[in-house]
Amino acid sequence: MLPVDEIRLNFNPASLVILNVVLGFLMFGIALDTRAADFRRVLRMPWAMGVGIAAQFLVLPAVTFGLTLLLHVAPSIALGMILVACCPPGNVSNIVTHRAGGNVALSVSMTAISNALSIVLMPLNFAFWAGLHPTAAPLFRSIALDPAEMAGHIVAIIGIPFVLGIVCAEKLPRLTARIRKPARFLSFFCLIAFILGAVAGNWRYFLDYVGLVLLAVVLHDALAFLTGYLCARASGLQDYDRRAVSIEVGIRNAGLGLVLIFSFFGGLGGMAVVAGVWGFWDIIAGLVLASWWGRRPAAGTPAQVESQS
């Protein structure tokens, strides 16, 4: 069996183009649930929003960096974990937050703001932490990734569909109301189908190397949820808001990571296996956490605040 850093997973170029389109459609679907009011809502809860954004873009990549050193993972696996940590949340985080009894308004606003910021921050964040890693940095430099090119790719598959979705939601509310739910479920189904396709097309590699990454992904995902929760708790947020922040930080858009891995890293083995395993485990862990939380009323809900005032 070859070292995981030396393998390259195969993905048909035509399929990659379709996957980019599917991911763009997924971002369009996220934006259909976004309104200009979501951005204005930030002004009414700036502390909670600031804590959530900082936890995603500052704390989680740093914690991930430390975890890769602690586990002594292979360089390509370390790069995959860092890339996933730098990805924005997906719209499934809003659904999971609702099931968990958390602050959905905060979740939706964080998803919108995080995806907008990730256009610039994601490539810069990844380049910083990957370049700093003692064992993964040489592999990262050998790929000669251009952050500007990566940012342009992110603009094309996140930025443009996101803006178009918001414009559609604001200017065509009737059409948006009809297509919002079908677009959300269809795009999510297609994304899962393509992740399955990527796994199925490289099944032998996944079977050979999943044991190397499974423990790392499980620990990393648990740490991501815990990072969001602890940051929110340390900042004095109520349990209602903590749940939203925890889920927003814990749920990462691994589909975007997979697209970037095949587009810019040639399907680098450890990175692709991490993103593929994360894509499934993240949703399972999020739903389990939401089910547990959902059976326990959250403190600090609007109804409780009003009754106490």
Side-chain angles (χ1 to χ4, degrees), residues 155-172:
V155 168
I157 61 178
I158 287 186
I160 294 174
F162 195 68
V163 170
L164 290 176
I166 293 175
V167 170
C168 182
E170 293 287 343
K171 301 298 183 183
L172 302 169

Side-chain angles (χ1 to χ4, degrees), residues 19-43:
L19 180 55
N20 277 273
V21 173
V22 168
L23 192 60
F25 186 52
L26 179 67
M27 298 310 303
F28 179 79
I30 292 175
L32 290 178
D33 285 324
T34 305
R35 301 290 186 274
D38 292 327
F39 295 94
R40 292 193 295 268
R41 194 181 293 122
V42 175
L43 300 176

Side-chain angles (χ1 to χ4, degrees), residues 227-270:
T227 295
Y229 186 83
L230 292 180
C231 286
R233 183 171 183 173
S235 304
L237 298 182
Q238 292 277 5
D239 187 38
Y240 184 55
D241 296 330
R242 291 178 205 165
R243 297 183 185 192
V245 173
S246 176
I247 291 167
E248 283 295 310
V249 177
I251 299 287
R252 304 285 89 198
N253 190 345
L256 171 62
L258 204 57
V259 168
L260 296 175
I261 290 163
F262 282 114
S263 298
F264 292 96
F265 300 92
L268 183 59

Side-chain angles (χ1 to χ4, degrees), residues 3-6 68 71-82 133 135-136 139 209 212-213 216 268-271 274:
V4 69
D5 294 334
E6 295 181 13
T68 63
L71 296 179
H72 300 289
V73 295
S76 64
I77 294 175
L79 289 180
M81 293 171 65
I82 292 170
H133 200 280
T135 59
L139 178 60
Y209 298 98
L212 290 175
V213 306
L268 183 59
M271 295 185 76
V274 165

Side-chain angles (χ1 to χ4, degrees), residues 30-204:
I30 292 175
L32 290 178
D33 285 324
T34 305
R35 301 290 186 274
D38 292 327
F39 295 94
R40 292 193 295 268
R41 194 181 293 122
V42 175
L43 300 176
R44 298 200 295 272
M45 45 184 173
W47 183 243
M49 184 64 64
V51 170
I53 296 300
Q56 288 186 81
F57 290 105
L58 298 177
V59 183
L60 181 59
V63 168
T64 302
F65 182 87
L67 181 62
T68 63
L69 298 179
L70 183 65
L71 296 179
H72 300 289
V73 295
S76 64
I77 294 175
L79 289 180
M81 293 171 65
I82 292 170
L83 181 65
V84 166
C86 293
C87 286
N91 65 339
V92 71
S93 63
N94 308 148
I95 300 170
V96 173
T97 299
H98 180 266
R99 289 177 61 91
N103 189 340
V104 178
L106 176 59
S107 175
V108 171
S109 299
M110 281 184 61
T111 300
I113 297 294
S114 299
N115 276 278
L117 292 175
S118 69
I119 296 171
V120 174
L121 293 183
M122 183 183 173
L124 295 177
N125 224 1
F126 176 69
F128 173 78
W129 290 107
L132 196 64
H133 200 280
T135 59
L139 178 60
F140 172 69
R141 285 191 289 268
S142 71
I143 298 169
L145 175 69
D146 183 356
E149 184 183 357
M150 185 175 177
H153 196 78
I154 293 172
V155 168
I157 61 178
I158 287 186
I160 294 174
F162 195 68
V163 170
L164 290 176
I166 293 175
V167 170
C168 182
E170 293 287 343
K171 301 298 183 183
L172 302 169
R174 291 183 180 178
L175 175 64
T176 300
R178 289 199 300 268
I179 68 173
R180 185 178 58 203
K181 286 187 177 180
R184 179 197 300 168
F185 288 110
L186 179 61
S187 59
F188 181 71
F189 173 79
C190 290
L191 181 61
I192 292 298
F194 269 94
I195 293 177
L196 281 171
V199 172
N202 298 274
W203 186 244
R204 179 172 61 86

